Amino acid sequence: RLSETHAREVLQVLDDLIDILKQKDDQREYAKVLLSRSQIYMKFSRLDESREDVEKCLNIVQSRLESYPLLMVGGIHTLAILDRLVGKEKEVEDELQRAIKIGKEYLGEDHIEIARLYKHLGIIYLDKRELDLSAKMIEMSYQIYSSKLGEKHPLTISTYNNLGEFYAEKAEFLKAEEIMKRALELRKKVFGEDHPDVAESHFKLGELYSNEAKYTSSLSHLLDAKRIYEKVYKNVDQLFTAGVYNQLGIVYLRLKKLNQARKNLKGSLR
């Protein structure tokens, strides 16, 4: 998670690199930098420029697929993320399936990139309430991550937490709570108490307890998430913080604490 200032600095470096690589005619490095710049553009919601860079990257690598399979898979995945941002859900699913097919053929079925694609596809199915497919994708992602990276790797923990979200969607709250609490403890051990990933776990547990009408527990976790996000990001506007404010507003509203509800909902809107 880059700050806005650092992201702008990285973008300038990538612009300079692209100018150099154009002159050197180094197609592989040029495609890599285009893909990196596309992801920075996405951070600033410059989606047309992001898409333009991805398409340039894919045009370069698609005729050299055997040499650049990872770039091809990464480019298609980035395109899927862009399409998701603009609501093209059918295209997203097709692109992820295409990337998985290419990845399994050229990278192997247990490559880390395949795990990343399975996870994204699982989240898409979760949003569509196709829960059996979602569970299958997230489980396969988790198995690859845990076998390749170990239980305490951030990607493994994040995917494990997604399993908790899956069970929450199925209203299997005890199973969801067990997984999410385990993910929180793992994140604390790996990152320490005041890391954004720890805040995310607090936030998800806050949502879970709110859905169970356990408002005291929900409030405790949401306030922890708010404290961490505000400490880490300070005055930087972040959607993470907005989501916490919104959920806090909902919980305070259900507790009939109207002043606190109003304050947090206004914070979310701001």
Side-chain angles (χ1 to χ4, degrees):
R1 294 188 177 99
L2 290 172
S3 71
E4 184 170 337
T5 300
H6 289 155
R8 290 188 187 282
E9 291 172 356
V10 171
L11 188 57
Q12 183 58 59
V13 171
L14 293 176
D15 288 343
D16 294 341
L17 269 174
I18 282 173
D19 290 338
I20 293 168
L21 292 169
K22 278 181 180 177
Q23 295 173 13
K24 289 189 173 183
D25 196 30
D26 188 334
Q27 293 296 294
R28 181 190 182 96
E29 291 303 313
Y30 179 47
K32 285 170 66 176
V33 176
L34 282 170
L35 188 56
S36 296
R37 188 172 70 173
S38 167
Q39 291 159 357
I40 300 294
Y41 278 146
M42 209 186 304
K43 176 179 175 64
F44 293 115
S45 298
R46 293 165 62 174
L47 302 187
D48 290 341
E49 291 162 289
S50 179
R51 183 178 295 275
E52 183 180 345
D53 274 359
V54 174
E55 289 175 350
K56 283 181 182 177
C57 170
L58 290 174
N59 285 336
I60 292 168
V61 302
Q62 64 186 357
S63 61
R64 305 171 176 86
L65 183 53
E66 290 188 10
S67 300
Y68 309 149
L70 194 56
L71 274 173
M72 188 68 175
V73 171
I76 297 170
H77 193 183
T78 303
L79 199 59
I81 295 169
L82 282 166
D83 281 335
R84 190 180 183 198
L85 288 171
V86 296
K88 296 181 178 179
E89 295 298 331
K90 182 61 173 69
E91 287 87 343
V92 173
E93 187 176 341
D94 290 345
E95 285 154 357
L96 291 173
Q97 294 282 15
R98 181 187 171 206
I100 289 169
K101 182 179 179 181
I102 293 170
K104 288 168 74 172
E105 181 177 352
Y106 288 94
L107 301 174
E109 297 201 359
D110 61 348
H111 193 278
I112 293 298
E113 192 65 22
I114 303 300
R116 195 160 74 101
L117 292 162
Y118 281 148
K119 178 178 176 178
H120 192 170
L121 190 55
I123 292 169
I124 295 296
Y125 287 139
L126 189 62
D127 290 343
K128 293 169 65 176
R129 302 288 300 167
E130 296 182 25
L131 299 183
D132 289 340
L133 283 172
S134 175
K136 180 180 178 181
M137 293 296 109
I138 295 173
E139 284 278 7
M140 287 195 296
S141 175
Y142 177 71
Q143 291 302 323
I144 294 173
Y145 279 140
S146 59
S147 65
K148 290 287 187 178
L149 303 176
E151 184 187 52
K152 294 183 179 180
H153 192 280
L155 289 172
T156 309
I157 300 170
S158 174
T159 308
Y160 185 62
N161 200 59
N162 291 139
L163 282 173
E165 294 174 45
F166 162 75
Y167 284 112
E169 286 292 327
K170 288 186 69 178
E172 294 184 24
F173 295 126
L174 287 177
K175 184 69 173 176
E177 181 181 351
E178 176 188 342
I179 291 173
M180 289 182 177
K181 287 174 74 173
R182 172 68 174 153
L184 173 60
E185 291 309 310
L186 285 169
R187 281 173 161 167
K188 284 181 178 180
K189 288 179 181 177
V190 172
F191 298 117
E193 296 280 341
D194 293 337
H195 188 277
D197 284 13
V198 175
E200 183 194 28
S201 277
H202 281 302
F203 177 51
K204 294 298 183 181
L205 276 164
E207 284 187 316
L208 177 70
Y209 287 131
S210 176
N211 290 334
E212 293 182 88
K214 296 178 179 178
Y215 298 124
T216 301
S217 296
S218 175
L219 200 57
S220 175
H221 283 288
L222 291 172
L223 288 171
D224 277 338
K226 178 183 175 183
R227 176 188 58 79
I228 296 168
Y229 281 141
E230 289 180 341
K231 179 178 180 179
V232 172
Y233 295 118
K234 296 181 181 177
N235 295 324
V236 179
D237 290 332
Q238 290 285 344
L239 288 177
F240 313 114
T241 312
V244 175
Y245 279 136
N246 185 66
Q247 192 64 41
L248 276 168
I250 292 169
V251 171
Y252 279 128
L253 195 60
R254 289 169 178 167
L255 290 170
K256 302 190 184 303
K257 295 184 177 182
L258 301 186
N259 288 336
Q260 291 97 321
R262 186 178 294 109
K263 178 182 177 181
N264 280 279
L265 291 171
K266 282 184 176 180
S268 177
L269 289 170
R270 183 181 69 248

